[in-house]
Amino acid sequence: MFDLLPSRSGRVLVCGHRGHSIEGHENTRPALRRAAELGAALCEIDLRITRDRRLVVFHDDILDNASTGTGLISQMEFSEVARFKTKNRNSVNIEGQPIEPFEDVLSYCRDLGLALIVEIKDKFEGTAYLEQVVGLIEEAGMLERVLISSFDYVVLRDIKRLSPGIRTMGINYHRLVEPALAARSASMDVMNTDYPQFAPDIAESLHAERVSVSHYVPPPQHFALRRSYGLDYLELLQSHMRAGLIDMLVCDDVAWMVNFVETCGLEPARLKFAG
């Protein structure tokens, strides 16, 4: 399994959010391939389930915003969903890509040498959904390369009970009173805190419990505008990075993120997998 605490040795995991999605269609092969080419060690993808219980890689519960289709994925057969192509949310005119089943994306990323963060987005009862997720990951030989993520910490707790060897990441929008306690309650291996809620005390408490620290940041143009008003978060973020507080950066723009890590005097972590 790859090291989730690379900050101890001056390295940082670079993660493409839905692939290198800034230039194309999220959660697609071109976005994942481009992320790998630019230096991402892993990519985050999203799961949805169809009416006939096929897991597909897609962010929204509806097709309308990021595909040529319409409707709730959970109310459609996979054969219906597969007829549509992806489209860019920002109306960038690029070729649409297939909406793919989870198992195909797993195999593709295995061959690329990419690790994955797989976000569970659907609500469900029982363990059948999680059993299906774990089964497909195991069949693809990706158990050591995958993190399961969710905003729902009960899901993370339950998937650990189902498959103790799998590693998990909790997603957090808030400044928690007891971050390490929240992480322990779900047996998570990584906690992600989105900008701008990140703070050093969150990272320090997590590292004290050997929980990896991930930080999601928006693309660079978000910060450029604020810098023009006198607020330079990237300078503050550089100080956090150099202090070894962050193990993983997640962003839509992998090229910028790799460059940012290097300007901090750190090294983007490289992953090598057997076979």
Side-chain angles (χ1 to χ4, degrees):
M1 289 188 172
F2 60 93
D3 183 14
L4 289 176
L5 291 163
S7 60
R8 296 173 298 184
S9 56
R11 296 176 298 120
V12 178
L13 289 161
V14 170
C15 176
H17 184 236
R18 309 177 198 170
H20 179 65
S21 54
I22 197 73
E23 295 175 351
H25 295 179
E26 63 192 46
N27 283 314
T28 63
R29 292 192 185 207
L32 295 165
R33 182 178 65 249
R34 187 63 179 142
E37 291 169 351
L38 291 169
L42 67 171
C43 284
E44 183 267 355
I45 61 173
D46 305 284
L47 288 190
R48 291 291 178 182
I49 197 162
T50 64
R51 185 170 61 197
D52 53 344
R53 314 303 295 173
R54 292 291 299 277
L55 290 166
V56 296
V57 177
F58 200 79
H59 180 271
D60 298 358
D61 61 336
I62 59 173
L63 291 167
D64 305 51
N65 298 324
S67 87
T68 56
T70 60
L72 280 162
I73 292 175
S74 62
Q75 294 179 358
M76 304 172 73
E77 302 288 313
F78 172 70
S79 59
E80 297 175 86
V81 174
R83 296 203 313 263
F84 303 116
K85 300 285 188 179
T86 60
K87 69 179 182 184
N88 188 276
R89 294 178 189 272
N90 300 317
S91 301
V92 176
N93 187 21
I94 52 178
E95 184 180 357
Q97 300 296 317
I99 299 170
E100 295 206 64
F102 181 40
E103 58 267 29
D104 290 359
V105 174
L106 280 169
S107 298
Y108 182 70
C109 289
R110 181 194 62 216
D111 295 343
L112 278 179
L114 268 179
L116 287 174
I117 297 172
V118 177
E119 184 178 343
I120 305 292
K121 303 195 76 69
D122 290 309
K123 300 298 180 183
F124 51 87
E125 298 293 333
T127 62
Y129 188 111
L130 296 179
E131 288 171 358
Q132 185 176 354
V133 170
V134 171
L136 291 173
I137 292 170
E138 290 178 339
E139 287 173 18
M142 287 283 282
L143 194 64
E144 295 188 352
R145 304 192 202 183
V146 166
L147 292 167
I148 301 296
S149 73
S150 182
F151 287 95
D152 187 340
Y153 293 0
V154 174
V155 166
L156 301 182
R157 180 202 66 188
D158 290 350
I159 202 163
K160 276 280 193 180
R161 290 175 175 175
L162 184 66
S163 178
I166 206 160
R167 298 193 289 182
T168 60
M169 182 175 88
I171 310 170
N172 169 44
Y173 274 154
H174 312 287
R175 187 169 179 184
L176 300 172
V177 174
E178 295 285 352
L181 183 60
R184 285 199 303 273
S185 72
S187 301
M188 68 180 70
D189 302 280
V190 184
M191 180 179 282
N192 180 85
T193 301
D194 281 9
Y195 165 86
Q197 283 78 21
F198 180 85
D201 62 306
I202 294 176
E204 290 162 357
S205 67
L206 292 171
H207 275 167
E209 296 294 326
R210 296 182 61 79
V211 176
S212 177
V213 176
S214 174
H215 185 31
Y216 172 82
V217 291
Q221 56 267 32
H222 175 95
F223 300 109
L225 179 60
R226 283 153 182 78
R227 190 183 303 115
S228 72
Y229 299 141
L231 176 64
D232 193 349
Y233 178 71
L234 293 184
E235 184 176 332
L236 180 61
L237 180 56
Q238 282 185 324
S239 69
H240 295 332
M241 302 276 288
R242 290 168 178 152
L245 296 176
I246 296 171
D247 299 288
M248 184 192 308
L249 275 182
V250 184
C251 186
D252 297 352
D253 191 336
V254 172
W256 169 73
M257 197 164 27
V258 167
N259 180 69
F260 180 75
V261 168
E262 292 172 343
T263 63
C264 294
L266 303 171
E267 179 186 351
R270 307 296 181 189
L271 303 183
K272 292 185 179 180
F273 299 105

